[in-house]
Each structure stands twice: as structure tokens, then as C-alpha cells.
Amino acid sequence: RIKTTLYYEDEDSLFRLIKEKIESALTQVYIVLPRINSQEKIKNKSIHEYAQYLQENYFTDFKIGLLHGEQKEEENIKIIEAFQKQKIDIIIATSIIEVGIHNQNANILVVIDPEYFGLIQLHQLRGRIGRGQKEGLCYLVIKNDISESSLERLKLLESINDGFILSQEDYKLRGMGELEGLKQSGFPDFR
């Protein structure tokens, strides 16, 4: 089972809690960001600056690795292998980890700004944790000023673990988009 919790912007208490969990339970962590580079900053930081910020302020005693699509494939493979061998405690990544990574010791997932992801994508991301004997813990870090529709959508993840039911609920909220065209949400104009 994976327990999902919406967490309002108080990263300080969240990262202190995660630090305690890593120390006591010997678990590993994924932290997922929606963007990579400094032109698309998260809290005014690129993914590299954010990793450095976390390393210096919360996880000084832990090894952090970065995974994203702008790194060479060989570098990403080295990081994944080191994570599986428990030589890395925390991976900070983009949605590149959504599929194909298996680590039974990774039981915590933190998603920063989850409103930038689709529900099924978030469901796939949380599928990276809770693969071993321990319960998975997923924290979705949202802004205090998040829109009501985004909040309603993300709250579904707290109560639904079944991907099929989640996709049905997402369809009801967002629609199917265009059959031919670029819109990925919304309801068709025809009956």
C-alpha cells in the first residue's frame, strides 16, 4: 500500500521528517520536480540548484543523485545502479523515473508542484515506491494558492490507489481532449 498526502509548502518540516525516516528506517527517497533548467525555475532554482539547496540545508550526511533527460544516458544509468546498490540515498529527478526503475528499498516519494503532472502520471510515479515490505509514503507538495480545480484533482490521489478508477475520475474532471488536435483535456463540442 502507498499512502499519499497533500503537503502545503512547508518543506522545512517535510524534509526534516524525511531525514528522520532515512536515518531510522534505512529507506531511500525520490524527489520529483516538473522541470529541469534554470529558465523554468522551481522556487527560483534549477534542478541542479535545488539539489544543492537540499544537500546543504537538509541532507548534508546523505548522498544525492540527479536524474533527468538532459544528462547522458550513461550518467543516468550510473545513478540508477548506485541507487539500487544503496550508494545513493536520494534521487532528485524529473518524470524520467515514471517507468522502468525498480528499487525495493525506495519507500518515499516527494513530488514538488504536482499540479503540473497528470493524475495517471502521478500514479505511475508513486508506483516507484512501496515495492518492498515497507509501506510507501508519497508527499505531494502543493502551494497555498493552488487552484480549487487542481486541489480537487490531487485530493483523488489521497483516497484512490487503483489506476483504473483514478483514470475514470480524471476523465470525469478533465474530459478526453480532442480526438484530432492538440488539446489533451476538455470536453468535445459535439454530442
Side-chain angles (χ1 to χ4, degrees), residues 11 32-50 53 93-94 112-113 116 143:
E11 288 181 358
V32 178
L33 304 169
R35 296 175 286 287
I36 299 171
N37 61 42
S38 57
Q39 286 86 23
E40 303 167 336
K41 293 185 176 187
I42 298 99
K43 300 196 183 294
N44 296 319
K45 295 172 179 65
S46 69
I47 192 170
H48 297 278
E49 292 165 336
Y50 197 70
Y53 164 77
T94 58
I112 307 294
D113 295 339
Y116 290 102
K143 295 178 176 78

PDB file of all heavy atoms in Angstrom, residues 11 32-50 53 93-94 112-113 116 143:
ATOM      1  N   GLU A  11       8.070  22.936   3.399  1.00  0.00           N
ATOM      2  CA  GLU A  11       9.109  21.966   3.075  1.00  0.00           C
ATOM      3  C   GLU A  11      10.033  21.691   4.253  1.00  0.00           C
ATOM      4  O   GLU A  11      10.561  20.606   4.389  1.00  0.00           O
ATOM      5  CB  GLU A  11       9.932  22.447   1.885  1.00  0.00           C
ATOM      6  CG  GLU A  11       9.184  22.382   0.587  1.00  0.00           C
ATOM      7  CD  GLU A  11      10.030  22.841  -0.576  1.00  0.00           C
ATOM      8  OE1 GLU A  11      11.183  23.240  -0.376  1.00  0.00           O
ATOM      9  OE2 GLU A  11       9.523  22.792  -1.702  1.00  0.00           O
ATOM     10  N   VAL A  32      10.744  14.431  -6.992  1.00  0.00           N
ATOM     11  CA  VAL A  32      10.457  14.679  -8.399  1.00  0.00           C
ATOM     12  C   VAL A  32      10.036  16.133  -8.599  1.00  0.00           C
ATOM     13  O   VAL A  32       9.181  16.656  -7.883  1.00  0.00           O
ATOM     14  CB  VAL A  32       9.357  13.728  -8.915  1.00  0.00           C
ATOM     15  CG1 VAL A  32       9.020  14.019 -10.370  1.00  0.00           C
ATOM     16  CG2 VAL A  32       9.790  12.279  -8.754  1.00  0.00           C
ATOM     17  N   LEU A  33      10.655  16.751  -9.592  1.00  0.00           N
ATOM     18  CA  LEU A  33      10.359  18.129  -9.974  1.00  0.00           C
ATOM     19  C   LEU A  33       9.789  18.145 -11.385  1.00  0.00           C
ATOM     20  O   LEU A  33      10.148  17.294 -12.210  1.00  0.00           O
ATOM     21  CB  LEU A  33      11.641  18.969  -9.941  1.00  0.00           C
ATOM     22  CG  LEU A  33      12.408  18.968  -8.613  1.00  0.00           C
ATOM     23  CD1 LEU A  33      13.776  19.593  -8.798  1.00  0.00           C
ATOM     24  CD2 LEU A  33      11.637  19.697  -7.556  1.00  0.00           C
ATOM     25  N   PRO A  34       8.948  19.123 -11.705  1.00  0.00           N
ATOM     26  CA  PRO A  34       8.345  19.134 -13.039  1.00  0.00           C
ATOM     27  C   PRO A  34       9.258  19.654 -14.144  1.00  0.00           C
ATOM     28  O   PRO A  34       8.976  19.441 -15.319  1.00  0.00           O
ATOM     29  CB  PRO A  34       7.133  20.053 -12.873  1.00  0.00           C
ATOM     30  CG  PRO A  34       7.457  20.910 -11.713  1.00  0.00           C
ATOM     31  CD  PRO A  34       8.350  20.112 -10.822  1.00  0.00           C
ATOM     32  N   ARG A  35      10.344  20.332 -13.794  1.00  0.00           N
ATOM     33  CA  ARG A  35      11.191  20.958 -14.819  1.00  0.00           C
ATOM     34  C   ARG A  35      12.673  20.767 -14.502  1.00  0.00           C
ATOM     35  O   ARG A  35      13.047  20.495 -13.378  1.00  0.00           O
ATOM     36  CB  ARG A  35      10.877  22.455 -14.902  1.00  0.00           C
ATOM     37  CG  ARG A  35       9.460  22.725 -15.363  1.00  0.00           C
ATOM     38  CD  ARG A  35       9.099  24.190 -15.321  1.00  0.00           C
ATOM     39  NE  ARG A  35       8.861  24.738 -13.998  1.00  0.00           N
ATOM     40  CZ  ARG A  35       7.800  24.504 -13.244  1.00  0.00           C
ATOM     41  NH1 ARG A  35       6.875  23.697 -13.676  1.00  0.00           N
ATOM     42  NH2 ARG A  35       7.660  25.068 -12.074  1.00  0.00           N
ATOM     43  N   ILE A  36      13.520  21.008 -15.517  1.00  0.00           N
ATOM     44  CA  ILE A  36      14.957  20.804 -15.380  1.00  0.00           C
ATOM     45  C   ILE A  36      15.737  22.094 -15.219  1.00  0.00           C
ATOM     46  O   ILE A  36      16.469  22.281 -14.256  1.00  0.00           O
ATOM     47  CB  ILE A  36      15.541  20.072 -16.619  1.00  0.00           C
ATOM     48  CG1 ILE A  36      14.916  18.705 -16.788  1.00  0.00           C
ATOM     49  CG2 ILE A  36      17.059  19.962 -16.513  1.00  0.00           C
ATOM     50  CD1 ILE A  36      15.273  18.026 -18.092  1.00  0.00           C
ATOM     51  N   ASN A  37      15.626  22.967 -16.206  1.00  0.00           N
ATOM     52  CA  ASN A  37      16.612  24.041 -16.314  1.00  0.00           C
ATOM     53  C   ASN A  37      16.222  25.343 -15.626  1.00  0.00           C
ATOM     54  O   ASN A  37      15.106  25.508 -15.163  1.00  0.00           O
ATOM     55  CB  ASN A  37      16.960  24.296 -17.787  1.00  0.00           C
ATOM     56  CG  ASN A  37      15.749  24.724 -18.583  1.00  0.00           C
ATOM     57  OD1 ASN A  37      14.942  25.514 -18.123  1.00  0.00           O
ATOM     58  ND2 ASN A  37      15.612  24.190 -19.790  1.00  0.00           N
ATOM     59  N   SER A  38      17.175  26.244 -15.606  1.00  0.00           N
ATOM     60  CA  SER A  38      17.002  27.489 -14.869  1.00  0.00           C
ATOM     61  C   SER A  38      16.038  28.459 -15.541  1.00  0.00           C
ATOM     62  O   SER A  38      15.597  29.411 -14.920  1.00  0.00           O
ATOM     63  CB  SER A  38      18.360  28.156 -14.639  1.00  0.00           C
ATOM     64  OG  SER A  38      19.000  28.377 -15.863  1.00  0.00           O
ATOM     65  N   GLN A  39      15.692  28.248 -16.810  1.00  0.00           N
ATOM     66  CA  GLN A  39      14.680  29.096 -17.432  1.00  0.00           C
ATOM     67  C   GLN A  39      13.289  28.746 -16.899  1.00  0.00           C
ATOM     68  O   GLN A  39      12.364  29.520 -16.978  1.00  0.00           O
ATOM     69  CB  GLN A  39      14.650  28.944 -18.964  1.00  0.00           C
ATOM     70  CG  GLN A  39      15.814  29.611 -19.672  1.00  0.00           C
ATOM     71  CD  GLN A  39      17.028  28.710 -19.753  1.00  0.00           C
ATOM     72  OE1 GLN A  39      16.907  27.501 -19.674  1.00  0.00           O
ATOM     73  NE2 GLN A  39      18.195  29.295 -19.886  1.00  0.00           N
ATOM     74  N   GLU A  40      13.147  27.542 -16.395  1.00  0.00           N
ATOM     75  CA  GLU A  40      11.863  27.071 -15.844  1.00  0.00           C
ATOM     76  C   GLU A  40      12.084  26.738 -14.378  1.00  0.00           C
ATOM     77  O   GLU A  40      12.019  25.597 -13.959  1.00  0.00           O
ATOM     78  CB  GLU A  40      11.404  25.827 -16.598  1.00  0.00           C
ATOM     79  CG  GLU A  40      11.271  26.033 -18.089  1.00  0.00           C
ATOM     80  CD  GLU A  40      11.115  24.721 -18.824  1.00  0.00           C
ATOM     81  OE1 GLU A  40      11.527  23.672 -18.316  1.00  0.00           O
ATOM     82  OE2 GLU A  40      10.568  24.743 -19.928  1.00  0.00           O
ATOM     83  N   LYS A  41      12.343  27.729 -13.565  1.00  0.00           N
ATOM     84  CA  LYS A  41      12.799  27.506 -12.194  1.00  0.00           C
ATOM     85  C   LYS A  41      11.685  27.068 -11.245  1.00  0.00           C
ATOM     86  O   LYS A  41      10.554  27.511 -11.355  1.00  0.00           O
ATOM     87  CB  LYS A  41      13.466  28.762 -11.655  1.00  0.00           C
ATOM     88  CG  LYS A  41      14.764  29.073 -12.370  1.00  0.00           C
ATOM     89  CD  LYS A  41      15.463  30.236 -11.741  1.00  0.00           C
ATOM     90  CE  LYS A  41      16.803  30.439 -12.431  1.00  0.00           C
ATOM     91  NZ  LYS A  41      17.602  31.430 -11.785  1.00  0.00           N
ATOM     92  N   ILE A  42      12.055  26.216 -10.320  1.00  0.00           N
ATOM     93  CA  ILE A  42      11.205  25.796  -9.235  1.00  0.00           C
ATOM     94  C   ILE A  42      11.692  26.552  -8.015  1.00  0.00           C
ATOM     95  O   ILE A  42      12.862  26.441  -7.645  1.00  0.00           O
ATOM     96  CB  ILE A  42      11.327  24.279  -8.972  1.00  0.00           C
ATOM     97  CG1 ILE A  42      10.883  23.495 -10.196  1.00  0.00           C
ATOM     98  CG2 ILE A  42      10.495  23.864  -7.786  1.00  0.00           C
ATOM     99  CD1 ILE A  42      11.985  23.027 -11.035  1.00  0.00           C
ATOM    100  N   LYS A  43      10.829  27.360  -7.427  1.00  0.00           N
ATOM    101  CA  LYS A  43      11.228  28.160  -6.270  1.00  0.00           C
ATOM    102  C   LYS A  43      12.511  28.930  -6.569  1.00  0.00           C
ATOM    103  O   LYS A  43      13.436  28.987  -5.768  1.00  0.00           O
ATOM    104  CB  LYS A  43      11.389  27.279  -5.041  1.00  0.00           C
ATOM    105  CG  LYS A  43      10.099  26.572  -4.676  1.00  0.00           C
ATOM    106  CD  LYS A  43      10.152  26.022  -3.291  1.00  0.00           C
ATOM    107  CE  LYS A  43       8.896  25.263  -2.965  1.00  0.00           C
ATOM    108  NZ  LYS A  43       7.697  26.023  -2.888  1.00  0.00           N
ATOM    109  N   ASN A  44      12.586  29.461  -7.800  1.00  0.00           N
ATOM    110  CA  ASN A  44      13.739  30.234  -8.278  1.00  0.00           C
ATOM    111  C   ASN A  44      15.032  29.423  -8.329  1.00  0.00           C
ATOM    112  O   ASN A  44      16.115  29.972  -8.186  1.00  0.00           O
ATOM    113  CB  ASN A  44      13.932  31.508  -7.448  1.00  0.00           C
ATOM    114  CG  ASN A  44      12.757  32.439  -7.597  1.00  0.00           C
ATOM    115  OD1 ASN A  44      12.232  32.598  -8.698  1.00  0.00           O
ATOM    116  ND2 ASN A  44      12.330  33.035  -6.516  1.00  0.00           N
ATOM    117  N   LYS A  45      14.940  28.118  -8.513  1.00  0.00           N
ATOM    118  CA  LYS A  45      16.122  27.266  -8.592  1.00  0.00           C
ATOM    119  C   LYS A  45      15.958  26.267  -9.737  1.00  0.00           C
ATOM    120  O   LYS A  45      14.885  25.737  -9.943  1.00  0.00           O
ATOM    121  CB  LYS A  45      16.328  26.499  -7.283  1.00  0.00           C
ATOM    122  CG  LYS A  45      16.638  27.379  -6.083  1.00  0.00           C
ATOM    123  CD  LYS A  45      16.637  26.536  -4.811  1.00  0.00           C
ATOM    124  CE  LYS A  45      16.962  27.354  -3.594  1.00  0.00           C
ATOM    125  NZ  LYS A  45      15.985  28.382  -3.267  1.00  0.00           N
ATOM    126  N   SER A  46      17.043  25.990 -10.453  1.00  0.00           N
ATOM    127  CA  SER A  46      17.023  24.904 -11.428  1.00  0.00           C
ATOM    128  C   SER A  46      17.092  23.587 -10.651  1.00  0.00           C
ATOM    129  O   SER A  46      17.311  23.580  -9.444  1.00  0.00           O
ATOM    130  CB  SER A  46      18.220  25.017 -12.369  1.00  0.00           C
ATOM    131  OG  SER A  46      19.418  24.732 -11.662  1.00  0.00           O
ATOM    132  N   ILE A  47      16.949  22.468 -11.334  1.00  0.00           N
ATOM    133  CA  ILE A  47      17.016  21.173 -10.652  1.00  0.00           C
ATOM    134  C   ILE A  47      18.386  20.989  -9.967  1.00  0.00           C
ATOM    135  O   ILE A  47      18.469  20.470  -8.866  1.00  0.00           O
ATOM    136  CB  ILE A  47      16.687  20.003 -11.609  1.00  0.00           C
ATOM    137  CG1 ILE A  47      16.473  18.706 -10.831  1.00  0.00           C
ATOM    138  CG2 ILE A  47      17.735  19.839 -12.683  1.00  0.00           C
ATOM    139  CD1 ILE A  47      15.918  17.562 -11.667  1.00  0.00           C
ATOM    140  N   HIS A  48      19.442  21.502 -10.594  1.00  0.00           N
ATOM    141  CA  HIS A  48      20.782  21.394 -10.004  1.00  0.00           C
ATOM    142  C   HIS A  48      20.907  22.287  -8.766  1.00  0.00           C
ATOM    143  O   HIS A  48      21.448  21.859  -7.741  1.00  0.00           O
ATOM    144  CB  HIS A  48      21.846  21.779 -11.041  1.00  0.00           C
ATOM    145  CG  HIS A  48      21.869  20.857 -12.220  1.00  0.00           C
ATOM    146  ND1 HIS A  48      22.522  19.662 -12.212  1.00  0.00           N
ATOM    147  CD2 HIS A  48      21.283  20.962 -13.446  1.00  0.00           C
ATOM    148  CE1 HIS A  48      22.353  19.052 -13.376  1.00  0.00           C
ATOM    149  NE2 HIS A  48      21.599  19.823 -14.134  1.00  0.00           N
ATOM    150  N   GLU A  49      20.366  23.498  -8.864  1.00  0.00           N
ATOM    151  CA  GLU A  49      20.397  24.415  -7.716  1.00  0.00           C
ATOM    152  C   GLU A  49      19.529  23.881  -6.574  1.00  0.00           C
ATOM    153  O   GLU A  49      19.884  24.006  -5.401  1.00  0.00           O
ATOM    154  CB  GLU A  49      19.906  25.806  -8.133  1.00  0.00           C
ATOM    155  CG  GLU A  49      20.842  26.514  -9.092  1.00  0.00           C
ATOM    156  CD  GLU A  49      20.195  27.704  -9.772  1.00  0.00           C
ATOM    157  OE1 GLU A  49      18.951  27.757  -9.894  1.00  0.00           O
ATOM    158  OE2 GLU A  49      20.954  28.591 -10.205  1.00  0.00           O
ATOM    159  N   TYR A  50      18.395  23.274  -6.915  1.00  0.00           N
ATOM    160  CA  TYR A  50      17.503  22.709  -5.903  1.00  0.00           C
ATOM    161  C   TYR A  50      18.183  21.543  -5.179  1.00  0.00           C
ATOM    162  O   TYR A  50      18.103  21.425  -3.963  1.00  0.00           O
ATOM    163  CB  TYR A  50      16.188  22.265  -6.545  1.00  0.00           C
ATOM    164  CG  TYR A  50      15.071  22.047  -5.557  1.00  0.00           C
ATOM    165  CD1 TYR A  50      14.480  23.112  -4.903  1.00  0.00           C
ATOM    166  CD2 TYR A  50      14.603  20.772  -5.288  1.00  0.00           C
ATOM    167  CE1 TYR A  50      13.453  22.918  -3.995  1.00  0.00           C
ATOM    168  CE2 TYR A  50      13.578  20.567  -4.385  1.00  0.00           C
ATOM    169  CZ  TYR A  50      13.005  21.641  -3.743  1.00  0.00           C
ATOM    170  OH  TYR A  50      11.986  21.435  -2.837  1.00  0.00           O
ATOM    171  N   TYR A  53      20.688  23.017  -2.848  1.00  0.00           N
ATOM    172  CA  TYR A  53      19.966  23.615  -1.718  1.00  0.00           C
ATOM    173  C   TYR A  53      19.575  22.531  -0.704  1.00  0.00           C
ATOM    174  O   TYR A  53      19.777  22.679   0.503  1.00  0.00           O
ATOM    175  CB  TYR A  53      18.730  24.357  -2.240  1.00  0.00           C
ATOM    176  CG  TYR A  53      17.697  24.688  -1.204  1.00  0.00           C
ATOM    177  CD1 TYR A  53      17.877  25.742  -0.318  1.00  0.00           C
ATOM    178  CD2 TYR A  53      16.511  23.942  -1.122  1.00  0.00           C
ATOM    179  CE1 TYR A  53      16.912  26.043   0.632  1.00  0.00           C
ATOM    180  CE2 TYR A  53      15.551  24.231  -0.182  1.00  0.00           C
ATOM    181  CZ  TYR A  53      15.745  25.282   0.697  1.00  0.00           C
ATOM    182  OH  TYR A  53      14.793  25.565   1.637  1.00  0.00           O
ATOM    183  N   ALA A  93      14.808  14.018  -9.414  1.00  0.00           N
ATOM    184  CA  ALA A  93      14.577  13.678 -10.817  1.00  0.00           C
ATOM    185  C   ALA A  93      13.401  14.443 -11.397  1.00  0.00           C
ATOM    186  O   ALA A  93      12.626  15.073 -10.679  1.00  0.00           O
ATOM    187  CB  ALA A  93      14.305  12.182 -10.936  1.00  0.00           C
ATOM    188  N   THR A  94      13.282  14.328 -12.701  1.00  0.00           N
ATOM    189  CA  THR A  94      12.071  14.751 -13.395  1.00  0.00           C
ATOM    190  C   THR A  94      11.222  13.491 -13.558  1.00  0.00           C
ATOM    191  O   THR A  94      11.534  12.448 -12.966  1.00  0.00           O
ATOM    192  CB  THR A  94      12.422  15.353 -14.768  1.00  0.00           C
ATOM    193  OG1 THR A  94      13.131  14.360 -15.521  1.00  0.00           O
ATOM    194  CG2 THR A  94      13.261  16.604 -14.620  1.00  0.00           C
ATOM    195  N   ILE A 112       7.243  17.809  -6.038  1.00  0.00           N
ATOM    196  CA  ILE A 112       7.130  19.254  -5.898  1.00  0.00           C
ATOM    197  C   ILE A 112       6.253  19.776  -7.039  1.00  0.00           C
ATOM    198  O   ILE A 112       6.435  19.393  -8.188  1.00  0.00           O
ATOM    199  CB  ILE A 112       8.527  19.923  -5.958  1.00  0.00           C
ATOM    200  CG1 ILE A 112       9.498  19.289  -4.962  1.00  0.00           C
ATOM    201  CG2 ILE A 112       8.425  21.430  -5.785  1.00  0.00           C
ATOM    202  CD1 ILE A 112       9.178  19.491  -3.505  1.00  0.00           C
ATOM    203  N   ASP A 113       5.306  20.648  -6.736  1.00  0.00           N
ATOM    204  CA  ASP A 113       4.386  21.218  -7.739  1.00  0.00           C
ATOM    205  C   ASP A 113       3.664  20.123  -8.537  1.00  0.00           C
ATOM    206  O   ASP A 113       3.721  20.082  -9.774  1.00  0.00           O
ATOM    207  CB  ASP A 113       5.124  22.159  -8.692  1.00  0.00           C
ATOM    208  CG  ASP A 113       5.683  23.396  -7.992  1.00  0.00           C
ATOM    209  OD1 ASP A 113       5.183  23.739  -6.906  1.00  0.00           O
ATOM    210  OD2 ASP A 113       6.608  24.015  -8.536  1.00  0.00           O
ATOM    211  N   TYR A 116       1.457  20.226 -12.011  1.00  0.00           N
ATOM    212  CA  TYR A 116       1.992  20.228 -13.380  1.00  0.00           C
ATOM    213  C   TYR A 116       1.978  18.831 -14.014  1.00  0.00           C
ATOM    214  O   TYR A 116       2.350  18.683 -15.170  1.00  0.00           O
ATOM    215  CB  TYR A 116       3.415  20.781 -13.403  1.00  0.00           C
ATOM    216  CG  TYR A 116       3.459  22.265 -13.128  1.00  0.00           C
ATOM    217  CD1 TYR A 116       3.824  22.739 -11.879  1.00  0.00           C
ATOM    218  CD2 TYR A 116       3.139  23.189 -14.119  1.00  0.00           C
ATOM    219  CE1 TYR A 116       3.856  24.108 -11.620  1.00  0.00           C
ATOM    220  CE2 TYR A 116       3.165  24.544 -13.865  1.00  0.00           C
ATOM    221  CZ  TYR A 116       3.529  24.997 -12.614  1.00  0.00           C
ATOM    222  OH  TYR A 116       3.553  26.332 -12.358  1.00  0.00           O
ATOM    223  N   LYS A 143       1.247  24.344  -3.397  1.00  0.00           N
ATOM    224  CA  LYS A 143       1.295  25.743  -2.969  1.00  0.00           C
ATOM    225  C   LYS A 143       0.028  26.099  -2.192  1.00  0.00           C
ATOM    226  O   LYS A 143      -1.023  25.505  -2.407  1.00  0.00           O
ATOM    227  CB  LYS A 143       1.408  26.653  -4.196  1.00  0.00           C
ATOM    228  CG  LYS A 143       2.694  26.483  -4.972  1.00  0.00           C
ATOM    229  CD  LYS A 143       2.664  27.393  -6.202  1.00  0.00           C
ATOM    230  CE  LYS A 143       3.958  27.337  -6.955  1.00  0.00           C
ATOM    231  NZ  LYS A 143       4.110  26.161  -7.785  1.00  0.00           N
TER     232      LYS A 143
END
